[in-house]
Amino acid sequence: MAISRRRFLANTAVSSTALLASPAIIRAALGAEEPIKVGSLHDLAGPLGATGQPMVDSLILAVDELNAAGGLLGRPVQLVNYDTQSTIQLYSQYAQELALKDKVAVVQGGITSASREAIRPVFDRFKTLYFYNTLYEGGVCDRDIFCTGTTPAQTVEKLVPYAMKKWGKKAYIIAADYNYGQITSKWMTKYCQENGGSILSTDFFPLDVTNFGSTISKIQAAKPDLVLSALVGGNHTAFYRQWTAAGLKKEIGIASTTFGLVNEPETLDAEESEGVLGAYGYFEELTTPASTAYVAKLHSKFKDIPYISELAACTYEGFYLWVEAVKKAGSVDRAKVTEALETGMSFDGPSGKVTIDHQTHHATRNAFLAEVKNKKWSVLETYEQQPPQDTAAVCNLITNPNDNKQYVVDVRGH
Amino acid sequence: MDLAAIIALNILNGIGSLVLLSLGLAIIFGMMRVINLAHGEFLMLGAYTTVFTTNAGLNIWVAMLVVSPLVVGAIGVAVERGIIRFLYGRMVDTMLATWGLSLFIIGLITTIFGNTANGVPAPLGSFSVGDYRASYYSIVLIVIAAALMVAVYLVLRFTRFGLVARATMQNPNMASALGISPPRIYMATFGIGAAVSGLAGGVLAPISGIIPVMGAAYIAKAFITVVSGGASILAGTLAASTLFGLINQVATFGTTPVFGEVALFISAIVLLRALPQGITGRFFKGRL
C-alpha cells in the first residue's frame, strides 16, 4: 500500500498525540492523583507584555517549588497559563475557558484594573476563586476576590507627603486616562490637600499619546514644585524623555505611583530616571534574606527576566497564600479555601509578612519608599505592616458579605 | 511673548512629528496605492535600529540619519520583492498581507530583543525662553522634517528617477512601452518610502518609549494625515500635518490632552466629510 502524504500526516498526528497523552494514561492506570489546576491570566505580548512576564515567571517558579516539595494535598499542581496579549476581549474569553473548560481551582491574574473588572464578574458567575495581585486604585469590595497588591493608602499616602516635604507644596498631576489613573489622581489630590498642599492641575492622557510637548509647556506655565505621575505603559515613558530633553528633570521633582513597576529605569537613560520617587510593596533591591533568595531563584531560572517589582512578588505571595489556605482547609473547594483565607491567613514572602484582611479581602503588607539612583531603586523608607485602610473605610465584607462593587474615594475639595 | 514663542515651537514640533510619521506612508500610499498597514512597524524598526546601533557605540546622528533609513529601506525592498509585488492592484489583499507582516515583525522583534530595550537619550540639551524651557532636539526634529520634505520634493521634481517614477505611477503601460521597467520602479519607490519611515523612526527614537508595539500609537495618525492630505504626496502631507498639528497642540495646551486627541480626530472627520478627496482634492490640485 502506498502511503499518501495525507495518510502519513494523519498517522503521525495520531501517534504523536498518543505519545503525548501516554503519561496521563499510565498515571491514571496507576491510580495517581489528578493534578490541581491553577489558572493564570497575564499579558505576555503587546504593550503589557513586559509587565506580565515577571508575574508569570514568578508563578512558574512557585508551582515548580511546590511540586518539588511534594505538591499540594499529595497532588501535583499544574499551571494553566493563557497569554491575554494586552487585549481585554481575550481576558473575558480565557476567563470563561479557565472556569468552564479547565475547571481550575484558583485563578491568579489580571494586570490592569480594566482587565480585572472584565474578568471579576466571570469568576463570580462561575464560582471560581480569584486572586488579583497587581497594585491598584483600591475599593474593590467583593467576597469572591482577593486583592494582594498594594492600594493607595499603603503607598500613595507615604509617597505624596514625602515628595512634598522634599520639593514643596504645589503639585501637578499627570495620569493615564482610564480607571486606574482617574482614581489614583483622586487619592493623590486627597493626600496632597491633607498635607497642606494644593493641586495646580490634573491632566489625563490616552494611552497612545506620544507627544508631550504642549503638556510640558503647560506644566511650566503652572510652576509646580513637583509632578505626581500615574502615567502607564511604554508610550507614556516618552514623557520622561521629553521632560529631561527640555531640561526640567533637575528643576522639578517627579514622584510616581507607576514609574519603575515594569522596566522604566532599565529602558530610560540614567539621567532621565535619576531622582524619581516611588513607593511600592516590593523592590528587587531589598536586601532581606527572603528577598535576595527569591530574586536569585528567579534569575537562575529565567535568564532574561525584566525588573522584579511588586507585581511579581505579590503574584508569588498571592499564590502561596492560596497554598497555605488550601493546606489549612484540606481541600481546594472554593468556599472552604475562602473561609480559611478569611481567618487571617498569612505568608512570609519576599516582601515580608503578608496577611489577608477578612474585612476587605485585601492584604496587610509592608510598603517601601525608594528613589532611583543610577538606574536602580535605592530604598529610603520601610513602612511595616500597612493595612488596606482605603478599602477598609468603605468596605466591610464581615457585616456585608454580599457586597459586590468597586467604591471610589470621595475627595472633598477645600 | 515667551508663551507665544513656546506655543509656536510646540505647534511646529507637532507638525514636524506628523510629517515624519506620515511621509513614508504618503509615498507608498500616494504613489503606489498600496495600503501599508506595517507602516508603524517600519517606524519601530527605524527606532530600534537607531537605539541598538547607538548603544553599540555608533554616533547617534549617523545612526538615525544614515543607518536607520538604509536598514529599513533594505527591509522595504525585501518586503516588496517577497510580498507586495504579487499583490499590486489588489488593495484588500495588500492590507491583509501587510497587517500580517506587521504582526510578524512585532513578534520577531519581541522574540529577539524582548519587551525591554535600552533607549537613547535626546542629544543637545535644552534652552530657555523666558520662564520656559524647551529642548534643542525639538528644533532638530522640525528641521529634519522640513529637510526631508525638501529632499523628497527635489528628487521627485528634478531628477530623472523622480520623473520616471511619477510617469510609471500615472501610466505603467506607457512607461513600459518607453523602455522603463515598472517592477523596478515600484521596488525602488517602496524602498524609498520604507527608508523615509526608517529615518522618521530613528529621529523619533530619543523622545519615544521604545517597545515592539510602539508602531500602533503612530499608525492611526499617519493614516489620517495621509488620507486627509489627499492625492498630492508632499502638499497633502504638509497641509494635513499643519492643520492637525495646529489643532492638536492648541487644543492640548488650551484644554486637556484628552480633548487634544479628540479635537484631532473630530477635525479629520469633519474635513473628510467636507472634502472626501482630501485637502489636495480641492486645493493645491496637481501639485506634488
Side-chain angles (χ1 to χ4, degrees):
Chain A
M1 189 183 81
I3 296 178
S4 72
R5 188 175 70 100
R6 192 163 294 179
R7 182 177 293 271
F8 173 75
L9 284 177
N11 286 343
T12 45
V14 169
S15 51
S16 52
T17 315
L19 204 65
L20 282 175
S22 56
I25 295 165
I26 293 165
R27 251 201 321 243
L30 293 175
E33 289 284 354
E34 278 287 298
I36 298 174
K37 286 184 179 172
V38 173
S40 154
L41 284 180
H42 291 95
D43 305 305
L44 293 174
L48 292 168
T51 316
Q53 190 69 56
M55 301 172 87
V56 175
D57 289 351
S58 273
L59 273 181
I60 295 172
L61 172 69
V63 168
D64 286 358
E65 280 176 349
L66 192 63
N67 283 333
L72 188 56
L73 305 178
R75 292 163 65 184
V77 173
Q78 183 195 345
L79 188 67
V80 183
N81 178 54
Y82 285 107
D83 174 5
T84 38
Q85 300 171 27
S86 310
T87 311
I88 297 292
Q89 193 196 337
L90 286 177
Y91 268 103
S92 314
Q93 181 188 330
Y94 288 142
Q96 299 206 11
E97 284 195 30
L98 282 175
L100 299 175
K101 196 184 91 194
D102 300 308
K103 296 195 170 50
V104 293
V106 63
V107 175
Q108 308 272 346
I111 298 182
T112 63
S113 294
S115 66
R116 181 199 64 237
E117 290 309 304
I119 59 181
R120 190 163 65 88
V122 177
F123 295 134
D124 283 359
R125 192 173 340 128
F126 298 119
K127 308 261 177 274
T128 306
L129 187 59
Y130 173 37
F131 276 71
Y132 176 62
N133 304 308
T134 312
L135 76 141
Y136 83 109
E137 64 279 359
V140 167
C141 192
D142 178 354
R143 195 163 170 256
D144 299 320
I145 184 176
F146 288 90
C147 304
T148 66
T150 58
T151 54
Q154 293 163 314
T155 53
V156 185
E157 194 215 5
K158 314 288 181 291
L159 180 68
V160 172
Y162 190 97
M164 286 169 65
K165 211 187 220 171
K166 184 166 182 182
W167 291 310
K169 302 257 180 210
K170 287 181 293 175
Y172 196 110
I173 299 175
I174 49 175
D177 190 24
Y178 69 104
N179 53 358
Y180 170 76
Q182 296 272 358
I183 298 174
T184 303
S185 74
K186 290 189 177 170
W187 285 108
M188 289 171 165
T189 308
K190 178 181 158 75
Y191 293 130
C192 183
Q193 290 174 351
E194 281 177 6
N195 287 283
S198 61
I199 300 295
L200 301 175
S201 178
T202 304
D203 281 353
F204 296 103
F205 300 85
L207 289 174
D208 58 355
V209 166
T210 53
N211 188 335
F212 291 89
S214 284
T215 300
I216 289 171
S217 301
K218 257 177 99 170
I219 296 175
Q220 295 183 68
K223 297 194 176 59
D225 299 319
L226 72 155
V227 170
L228 297 173
S229 155
L231 296 176
V232 173
N235 291 328
H236 283 182
T237 55
F239 170 80
Y240 302 102
R241 307 218 114 120
Q242 293 170 23
W243 180 255
T244 312
L248 293 161
K249 192 73 198 24
K250 293 195 175 75
E251 299 194 350
I252 303 172
I254 298 178
S256 172
T257 58
T258 46
F259 190 88
L261 260 189
V262 186
N263 51 10
E264 287 88 350
E266 210 175 324
T267 334
L268 293 172
D269 197 60
E271 197 198 339
E272 292 163 337
S273 59
E274 190 75 14
V276 175
L277 286 176
Y280 301 113
Y282 179 76
F283 287 98
E284 183 184 296
E285 289 83 357
L286 286 180
T287 51
T288 57
S291 167
T292 47
Y294 165 70
V295 172
K297 276 187 281 188
L298 273 177
H299 277 282
S300 71
K301 201 171 178 73
F302 306 98
K303 293 277 172 285
D304 299 328
I305 190 167
Y307 183 79
I308 302 160
S309 70
E310 145 162 14
L311 301 173
C314 292
T315 304
Y316 186 80
E317 290 162 352
F319 176 79
Y320 270 110
L321 280 165
W322 172 77
V323 168
E324 295 300 318
V326 169
K327 282 182 189 163
K328 181 165 185 178
S331 153
V332 294
D333 179 76
R334 176 175 175 247
K336 287 180 188 158
V337 175
T338 303
E339 274 163 25
L341 283 159
E342 283 174 344
T343 60
M345 184 56 65
S346 75
F347 172 71
D348 286 308
S351 73
K353 188 175 172 193
V354 187
T355 310
I356 292 289
D357 173 44
H358 183 182
Q359 187 195 331
T360 57
H361 277 211
H362 283 56
T364 296
R365 53 163 56 255
N366 294 339
F368 308 90
L369 191 142
E371 178 186 24
V372 180
K373 280 209 176 111
N374 197 21
K375 302 187 80 162
K376 291 272 172 207
W377 285 104
S378 155
V379 180
L380 303 171
E381 301 279 338
T382 302
Y383 308 95
E384 301 263 347
Q385 298 300 303
Q386 297 298 312
Q389 270 166 343
D390 39 14
T391 312
V394 289
C395 174
N396 192 337
L397 291 166
I398 302 171
T399 55
N400 187 11
N402 293 325
D403 204 348
N404 181 1
K405 67 189 256 193
Q406 180 174 9
Y407 293 92
V408 177
V409 61
D410 182 30
V411 181
R412 281 153 284 137
H414 43 185
Chain B
M1 188 57 223
D2 304 338
L3 186 62
I6 211 81
I7 290 176
L9 181 69
N10 284 331
I11 291 170
L12 282 175
N13 192 38
I15 297 169
S17 306
L18 279 179
V19 166
L20 283 175
L21 288 183
S22 45
L23 191 58
L25 186 73
I27 292 170
I28 289 172
F29 178 68
M31 292 200 65
M32 311 173 66
R33 295 282 127 195
V34 167
I35 296 184
N36 178 23
L37 288 180
H39 175 69
E41 281 59 51
F42 283 4
L43 291 165
M44 180 268 283
L45 288 171
Y48 265 76
T49 308
T50 294
V51 163
F52 277 91
T53 49
T54 307
N55 284 338
L58 193 70
N59 179 293
I60 185 166
W61 302 108
V62 178
M64 71 171 68
L65 298 176
V66 181
V67 181
S68 280
L70 284 180
V71 168
V72 182
I75 293 169
V77 169
V79 166
E80 201 274 343
R81 285 289 91 185
I83 301 172
I84 309 288
R85 73 177 162 127
F86 304 110
L87 302 169
Y88 283 120
R90 293 157 60 188
M91 206 174 250
V92 177
D93 300 354
T94 328
M95 282 172 72
L96 261 180
T98 50
W99 186 52
L101 178 71
S102 91
L103 296 179
F104 172 75
I105 295 177
I106 293 173
L108 188 72
I109 293 294
T110 312
T111 311
I112 298 175
F113 299 113
N115 280 308
T116 303
N118 267 323
V120 290
L124 297 178
S126 63
F127 63 95
S128 296
V129 186
D131 283 348
Y132 297 89
R133 296 187 73 87
S135 62
Y136 280 114
Y137 195 76
S138 56
I139 295 178
V140 169
L141 188 142
I142 297 165
V143 171
I144 291 176
L148 201 57
M149 293 286 284
V150 171
V152 173
Y153 175 78
L154 292 178
V155 167
L156 286 178
R157 182 74 181 76
F158 293 112
T159 64
R160 187 179 147 72
F161 171 79
L163 184 70
V164 168
R166 283 185 290 141
T168 310
M169 301 312 155
Q170 275 183 16
N171 193 334
N173 292 333
M174 183 55 78
S176 183
L178 292 171
I180 289 160
S181 163
R184 280 174 121 179
I185 299 297
Y186 288 144
M187 180 181 80
T189 311
F190 197 91
I192 288 173
V196 168
S197 305
L199 189 145
V203 173
L204 290 168
I207 50 166
S208 306
I210 308 294
I211 45 172
V213 289
M214 63 190 283
Y218 298 134
I219 189 146
K221 276 178 201 148
F223 265 104
I224 288 168
T225 308
V226 170
V227 172
S228 304
S232 307
I233 300 168
L234 292 171
T237 303
L238 187 60
S241 299
T242 307
L243 183 70
F244 295 149
L246 183 76
I247 289 173
N248 178 240
Q249 295 294 318
V250 169
T252 302
F253 191 87
T255 59
T256 67
V258 175
F259 189 72
E261 297 291 296
V262 172
L264 191 157
F265 292 121
I266 288 179
S267 57
I269 292 167
V270 172
L271 185 120
L272 284 174
R273 180 68 190 81
L275 305 170
Q277 298 297 315
I279 298 172
T280 52
R282 165 84 51 96
F283 309 106
F284 316 111
K285 236 180 173 169
R287 301 283 179 80
L288 257 177

